[in-house]
Amino acid sequence: MTDPVKDRISARIAEAGPALVQLSNALHDYPELGWQEHRSSAAVAAVLAEAGFAVEQPYLDLPTAFRATFGSGDFTIGFLAEYDALPGLGHACGHNLISAMSAGGAIGLATVAEELGLTVEVIGTPAEEGGGGKIELLERGAFTELDFALMAHPAPVDVAEAEPFAVTHWHVEYTGRAAHAAAYPERGVNANDAFLIAQVALGLLRQQLPKTVRVHGVMTNGGEAPNAIPEKTEGRWYVRAETTEELIELEQRVINCFEAGALATGASLSITPESKRYAEMRTDDEALDLYRANALALGRSFDVDPAAATMNRASTDMGNVSQIVDAIHPYIGVGGEASNHQAAFAESCVGPRAEQTLLDGATALAWTAADVSCRRHRATAD
């Protein structure tokens, strides 16, 4: 038995398909880093404006954020769009597809907004890859008017439920004193040694950490020349845990390891948050069940190799949104052997299979939003 509402939604998404694919490809071909997504955010907003949405950009004084709105119903659905890329890897996390799926889902749902009593929004959220754009928006009052928020994220395979770690992002810097490494070594304070000691301490700490915890990072500056004792070293480090509460308890143990490097060498230490903490996800279980059913109806499958299904543990600032708004954040597969944050995964996010994923994701999201709004309206009426 067909559903006239869902048929109209899917027909509208299919009609918009060429523009959505063009949008995804344009973002993929011109990747922009967090807080610098001027061209990307404008491109997503333009597709929505062409579809009849009223666009506000910048949004809440963030230059690369936007809000696009359609309809005036009393139940507000928010599709979230991400469009930042990864340094050196381009769209190896598939944010080009996220934007196109959210735009497509919103365009499809707008077709039935009046009869379902909906306001449909797309909120463009910058700097998900470590910058915490959604948290900045939250602190400026975004998302609070939404009744339901959703987005879908590319992965190697389909996984319905997001179970992300809470995460802290830090910029770590040691400052020592430069000196000639052969002629005057006693005059130097080796900032590189400080980082080495910290990483050894962190490696030993990992033996005592629970399996729900991750600690990892990179050194971004390790000195300038082998015959000069490094005066400054820098790095970016992430600490992840199952919950925000567990994360806060863990942070000081990790800081102690960095402080050990400073104490042992005499270098000074600076640890600066790169964003607010990302929270764990609170999933709307009823909405997630509806998404599963809709994805299955489109021919998607959740019968996948568990080893390929772990992208759902990746941290996201969508977790912070889910703390105040009913939300889902499913993962949708693009196939291939590569996984997120590998260069080859960027190539999996364009081409025929990615385009089908785009249309499936947009349709499943829009169908789910329609189902949720109908159920919640019915519950309110009862």
Side-chain angles (χ1 to χ4, degrees), residues 188-251:
V189 175
N190 196 317
N192 202 357
D193 287 352
F195 229 122
L196 176 61
I197 291 166
Q199 292 192 75
V200 170
L202 288 167
L204 295 171
L205 174 65
R206 289 189 182 101
Q207 299 176 74
Q208 276 71 55
L209 295 179
K211 63 181 181 180
T212 54
V213 165
R214 304 284 189 273
V215 181
H216 51 92
V218 295
M219 184 187 291
T220 56
N221 174 14
E224 302 297 331
N227 61 345
I229 290 175
E231 184 172 26
K232 179 178 288 188
T233 52
E234 298 175 86
R236 301 180 65 208
W237 281 79
Y238 291 4
V239 185
R240 305 183 198 253
E242 196 79 5
T243 66
T244 302
E245 182 181 8
E246 182 183 35
L247 178 63
I248 292 170
E249 293 176 356
L250 170 70
E251 285 175 354

Side-chain angles (χ1 to χ4, degrees), residues 90-178:
H91 277 294
C93 209
H95 291 193
N96 58 304
L97 288 173
I98 292 175
S99 290
M101 286 188 287
S102 286
I107 290 168
L109 190 64
T111 303
V112 296
E114 183 176 357
E115 67 185 84
L116 296 184
L118 298 177
T119 297
V120 183
E121 292 190 3
V122 179
I123 300 177
T125 64
E128 189 277 335
E129 295 288 357
K134 295 181 190 63
I135 304 171
E136 292 294 328
L137 286 166
L138 272 168
E139 293 185 346
R140 298 168 190 232
F143 310 114
T144 55
E145 80 285 359
L146 300 180
D147 294 293
F148 180 55
L150 72 170
M151 58 177 286
H153 197 297
V157 296
D158 287 69
V159 183
E161 185 174 5
E163 300 179 87
F165 292 103
V167 65
T168 291
H169 310 97
W170 286 329
H171 177 267
V172 179
E173 180 177 315
Y174 288 104
T175 302
R177 185 168 59 249

